[in-house]
Amino acid sequence: MSQPLPASLRDLVADTLEIEPDEVTPELNTETAENWDSFRHLQLMLGVEGEYGIQFDPSAIAHLTSVAAIQDALIKKGVTF
Amino acid sequence: MLEPAERDALRSQLRSAVADKRPAEETLVSIGRLYRDGKASDALLCARTLQAITPDLLQQGSREISAFIARSVSLEPVLAFMQIEAALAGFILTAEFGGYGSFMDEMLNGAGPLHATSNFDLILLATDLEDFAGALPDLCASGRGDGVAAEIAACIDRLRSMLVALRSRVRSRILVQGFVVPDRTALGDTGESNLPGGLRAAIRQLNTQITQVCTEVSSCTFFSVEDVAARFGKARWFDARLFLSSRVPFAAAAFPAYAQAFAHTVRVLFGPMRKVLCTDLDATLWGGILGEDGPDGIATGTTFPGNCYRAYQQYLLRLRARGVLLAIVSKNNLADVEEAFALRSKDLALTLEDFSARKIGWGEKALALQDIARELSLGVDAFVFVDDNPAECEAVRLALPEVAVVHVPADEPWHYVERLQQGGYFDTAAISDDDLHRADHYRNEEQRHTLQQSVSSREDFLQSLDIVCTLLPATEAPLARSVQLLGKTNQFNMTTRRHGAAEIEQFHSTPGGQAIALRVQDRFGDSGVVGLLLAQTAGEVCRIDTLLLSCRVIGRDIERALLAEAARRASNDGARWLIGEFVPTKKNGPAAGFYTACGFTTDIPEGVPAPSQDGASLWYWYDLHWGNPPVPTFLTFEGGDHEPAIAGVSA
């Protein structure tokens, strides 16, 4: 994605994973982020859904394993930041 | 809902709270605002900030509650919400989760963390119907009800065995979550309401029987998630997508409602109880201003809008009937108020005599509340203050932050009862006989004060009261009353340990253990069970874990009766030393000098092992070789079924 990372998404990821906002990059993913386990993933997904007022298909959630992928999915849902 | 700018400001304030060294209490208030009025996703930031200020909150007196959650559903995503709600209610919640499929093994056999030495304050059992009574939906499909009762009975038996096994191993409070009566079933609404064996009826029955089992097990409480779901809205409660994909038992939008109900239960089980409701008069107990409208002009009675106020009065009367003391705090002339109560008695649900204290005058309300606290021998943290005037409310909030302040909207008197109910201040898991007689007790207390003024010396006064002490096992006080005393007594309480029923039973049944309750009567009435002592003798040493006396009877040396009885039993158990412990708190000043006044020393006697130095405890020793601590001669003892009465004590 060439679009910049929206601050709201950056903060959500940072708060869920308990890291600093500036540690959140589009490349950050479940492999590179130490804290990003399945429960935090669920928590993050619920947080994202609440923040942007959308719902993901549960089978898509398993693939949203990086910040960029989440941002991409939000744009496909028509979310503007 | 917060304005976007306000929300952003709060968010950045929370983000920098720790770096800015902002006071933790202030940060908690901001957390509360953002959490309640921000977006659902703000809970993540709130939870994170809460974690950062937790050490400070603990230091400032928030109580830590460690919970174990035995479950068959995913409550992990809800935990952050539960922790925030708990913190807003004054508790720091830490939680450990059991395995999805192992709740039965954990509870029944002590698998995992629920072994005998586990030390959780609270154990929550939260299961899905599928895992607890999975056959019910199919059995109820025909609506005929065949086999439903038997299936429910089998599930209840299984629950009973789990709870009994758990109770025999651990002391924790147990909270059993019920089940939500489903909004939609295969039968449909008409079938559910008309056929004998629908699923909704079955689940209502299941909940009723779980409640019954909870009453059979000590320190076990039913958590009605059905009520939470109903209040939230059944149609929105269940989210099939979340449940089927992640086993989350309710919709994300319902997390705050569930968490709030949970935190409320924690407050009821572990927090101090509110005991007094202080109400304003003008535009609160009745409509209008008595000084301006006169007794005939104030609004109260059976027609609108007077009936709004009457509804509020009737609500107060119901609170009084279960032990809440009522008080008036009003800026008015006493004679006018007396006249109004007399002239409008038919239109008022309450009489002036229903109020245990009355502060009617022109002084500051915060001072009046403190006066009432002194009169009733209660802390102001037991008070709820209701007033329509925002300035009075704010003044009381500032002067006495411990008081719960309820601001009622003068222009919408139909909301009064609702506003008062929202706080849930007088909620309780148990009501004792003593609660029911409390208001009468305080009326008798007034008569005692009058007598005190007419008798010259303190000894003569106490002698004239004809105090009779009855000692009985704390397990038969009844047990619920003992638990209540441990939970509520703040002033004359040496250690303020909030033990539950299980601990009392342990002291009672362990060799060398003591669990003594004290009932007090005098010529003005029966004060009920007002004292409690827990102690344990090991070898030559008897350590007094708990010694407390309800503030209703402080100042009559009654506590010495408990101490003397403990000494007598300790001697019988072979002890030479009594060890007293005092843990200072903000409130137990009245108990501070007790052990020294009874002849205890603060120096460790030679050859006695020093108690482990945990925290703020002060220790006192008494050598039983010199005889038992003296008991005042004005106390008379009645053995009841307790024998023998204290030796060497005469009336």
Side-chain angles (χ1 to χ4, degrees):
Chain A
M1 285 305 310
S2 52
Q3 291 199 25
L5 183 60
S8 52
L9 180 59
R10 183 199 63 201
D11 288 355
L12 268 175
V13 175
D15 291 336
T16 313
L17 303 182
E18 294 181 63
I19 56 179
E20 291 306 315
D22 52 23
E23 293 176 63
V24 180
T25 62
E27 295 75 34
L28 190 74
N29 61 58
T30 51
E31 298 291 313
T32 54
E34 203 178 318
N35 266 341
W36 200 333
D37 57 24
S38 60
F39 277 115
R40 284 189 206 256
H41 189 62
L42 179 56
Q43 207 162 23
L44 177 60
M45 290 301 121
L46 293 174
V48 168
E49 290 184 349
E51 173 76 23
Y52 302 109
I54 48 104
Q55 284 202 346
F56 293 121
D57 181 327
S59 30
I61 283 180
H63 304 293
L64 303 181
T65 51
S66 72
V67 175
I70 297 169
Q71 187 177 354
D72 204 13
L74 285 172
I75 291 167
K76 286 206 181 99
K77 289 254 174 206
V79 171
T80 49
F81 300 100
Chain B
M1 209 64 191
L2 293 169
E3 295 295 320
E6 251 181 313
R7 176 179 178 234
D8 287 344
L10 274 172
R11 286 185 60 92
S12 64
Q13 190 193 333
L14 290 189
R15 220 169 263 296
S16 64
V18 174
D20 295 350
K21 294 201 168 62
R22 221 180 281 275
E25 285 160 73
E26 202 183 302
T27 304
L28 185 60
V29 171
S30 303
I31 288 176
R33 284 195 60 205
L34 182 64
Y35 169 76
R36 294 230 187 278
D37 299 325
K39 283 191 172 188
S41 48
D42 288 325
L44 290 170
L45 174 60
C46 292
R48 187 181 186 186
T49 313
L50 174 61
Q51 213 162 48
I53 62 168
T54 288
D56 287 351
L57 291 176
L58 284 172
Q59 207 164 27
Q60 287 162 18
S62 284
R63 170 156 178 210
E64 187 167 348
I65 298 290
S66 63
F68 180 81
I69 303 179
R71 52 68 187 267
S72 74
V73 287
S74 298
L75 284 174
E76 283 88 342
V78 197
L79 178 60
F81 293 77
M82 293 158 79
Q83 287 173 317
I84 296 166
E85 290 281 4
L88 294 173
F91 297 92
I92 298 300
L93 175 72
T94 59
E96 206 173 308
F97 289 93
Y100 286 95
S102 51
F103 68 89
M104 198 131 35
D105 199 20
E106 288 156 3
M107 299 198 48
L108 209 50
N109 307 322
L114 288 190
H115 47 74
T117 54
S118 70
N119 201 16
F120 296 102
D121 296 305
L122 181 71
I123 295 170
L124 170 67
L125 175 65
T127 56
D128 183 69
L129 187 69
E130 213 170 277
D131 311 297
F132 185 86
L136 277 186
D138 289 342
L139 284 173
C140 294
S142 71
R144 295 167 57 102
D146 301 333
V148 171
E151 174 62 16
I152 291 176
C155 297
I156 292 296
D157 281 346
R158 210 158 46 225
L159 175 67
R160 186 181 287 112
S161 327
M162 280 195 279
L163 294 176
V164 168
L166 184 63
R167 178 45 77 228
S168 71
R169 290 196 315 272
V170 304
R171 298 169 156 204
S172 323
R173 307 259 164 140
I174 305 171
L175 194 59
V176 181
Q177 181 171 313
F179 297 93
V180 176
V181 177
D183 186 39
R184 305 273 184 207
T185 71
L187 271 183
D189 287 352
T190 317
E192 284 289 350
S193 336
N194 290 279
L195 296 172
L199 184 58
R200 287 194 203 145
I203 291 183
R204 282 190 204 104
Q205 186 54 235
L206 187 63
N207 282 339
T208 308
Q209 295 198 23
I210 296 172
T211 313
Q212 178 56 37
V213 176
C214 289
T215 63
E216 294 167 16
V217 179
S218 60
S219 294
C220 185
T221 307
F222 179 68
F223 180 49
S224 178
V225 74
E226 158 65 10
D227 292 337
V228 184
R231 187 173 297 154
F232 177 79
K234 283 282 180 72
R236 296 186 299 136
W237 176 259
F238 184 67
D239 180 341
R241 181 185 66 117
L242 267 187
F243 181 73
L244 295 171
S245 63
S246 310
R247 292 195 71 74
V248 179
F250 38 78
F255 288 2
Y258 177 88
Q260 189 175 25
F262 173 81
H264 174 75
T265 310
V266 166
R267 199 181 73 190
V268 170
L269 294 180
F270 296 96
M273 211 178 129
R274 304 279 174 182
K275 301 166 197 165
V276 186
L277 184 140
C278 301
T279 182
D280 175 42
L281 294 179
D282 290 338
T284 302
L285 193 73
W286 53 59
I289 312 283
L290 179 60
E292 295 170 10
D293 304 320
D296 293 321
I298 55 173
T300 180
T302 49
T303 54
F304 187 84
N307 57 1
C308 299
Y309 302 96
R310 199 176 155 87
Y312 171 69
Q313 295 156 16
Q314 283 167 328
Y315 188 74
L316 298 195
L317 207 53
R318 277 173 214 135
L319 290 177
R320 186 181 183 276
R322 36 157 286 199
V324 174
L325 299 173
L326 303 180
I328 293 173
V329 178
S330 165
K331 290 186 177 169
N332 256 310
N333 291 321
L334 178 60
D336 295 349
V337 171
E338 285 170 345
E339 186 192 13
F341 270 97
L343 277 175
R344 299 296 301 274
S345 62
K346 281 205 183 72
D347 299 318
L348 287 159
L350 292 152
T351 67
L352 208 45
E353 285 67 44
D354 288 325
F355 294 90
S356 301
R358 300 172 284 267
K359 291 290 149 192
I360 298 159
W362 300 96
E364 275 182 51
K365 293 203 172 180
L367 294 177
L369 291 173
Q370 284 171 307
D371 278 350
I372 295 174
R374 260 191 301 278
E375 268 174 38
L376 300 178
S377 308
L378 291 168
V380 287
D381 63 348
F383 281 45
V384 175
F385 172 70
V386 187
D387 201 310
D388 65 294
N389 183 329
E392 297 283 12
C393 288
E394 190 55 25
V396 168
R397 254 185 225 119
L398 284 175
L400 304 170
E402 304 95 330
V403 174
V405 176
V406 178
H407 174 236
V408 288
D411 47 352
E412 297 175 341
W414 48 89
H415 281 314
Y416 284 14
V417 170
E418 197 181 306
R419 286 291 156 87
L420 187 52
Q421 283 169 332
Q422 273 165 0
Y425 297 115
F426 300 107
D427 194 2
T428 175
I431 302 230
S432 65
D433 288 349
D434 291 291
D435 288 329
L436 300 180
H437 299 130
R438 185 171 299 118
D440 295 332
H441 169 82
Y442 279 96
R443 189 177 306 149
N444 298 338
E445 188 66 9
E446 275 179 48
Q447 296 169 349
R448 281 185 203 100
H449 273 297
T450 319
L451 178 68
Q452 186 158 26
Q453 281 156 5
S454 66
V455 179
S456 54
S457 86
R458 179 169 180 272
E459 284 277 311
D460 289 346
F461 162 65
L462 292 170
Q463 190 78 57
S464 70
L465 281 178
D466 299 335
I467 301 172
V468 179
C469 298
T470 310
L471 296 157
L472 64 165
T475 47
E476 292 165 25
L479 185 58
R481 172 59 182 162
S482 297
V483 173
Q484 195 185 36
L485 277 173
L486 283 159
K488 299 202 307 189
T489 311
N490 296 316
Q491 293 179 315
F492 198 97
N493 192 337
M494 306 305 298
T495 52
T496 322
R497 295 202 174 104
R498 308 295 191 197
H499 294 308
E503 284 103 328
I504 298 172
E505 278 169 346
Q506 179 136 347
F507 275 105
H508 178 72
S509 59
T510 310
Q514 303 186 27
I516 315 168
L518 176 71
R519 176 186 198 94
V520 173
Q521 291 153 280
D522 66 23
R523 57 189 273 204
F524 294 112
D526 188 347
S527 298
V529 172
V530 287
L532 190 77
L533 181 138
L534 301 174
Q536 179 67 52
T537 300
E540 282 211 293
V541 167
C542 175
R543 182 176 152 181
I544 302 170
D545 174 272
T546 293
L547 196 173
L548 64 81
L549 195 70
S550 162
C551 44
R552 288 148 62 180
V553 292
I554 291 184
R556 299 184 211 162
D557 292 351
I558 290 165
E559 56 277 15
R560 290 176 182 243
L562 275 172
L563 183 66
E565 175 65 3
R568 187 187 69 82
R569 294 193 191 187
S571 296
N572 286 351
D573 290 335
R576 170 164 179 194
W577 302 97
L578 270 185
I579 299 194
E581 180 181 2
F582 178 69
V583 184
T585 67
K586 264 165 81 177
K587 302 206 189 106
N588 68 355
F594 174 64
Y595 282 127
T596 336
C598 291
F600 282 61
T601 150
T602 50
D603 306 316
I604 302 189
E606 239 172 84
V608 177
S612 63
Q613 291 298 324
D614 54 341
S617 291
L618 304 172
W619 299 94
Y620 303 84
W621 287 265
Y622 189 93
D623 187 347
L624 292 165
H625 275 191
W626 301 105
N628 289 351
V631 182
T633 52
F634 51 77
L635 298 179
T636 307
F637 287 88
E638 259 183 16
D641 56 7
H642 163 80
E643 46 73 56
I646 294 173
V649 177
S650 64

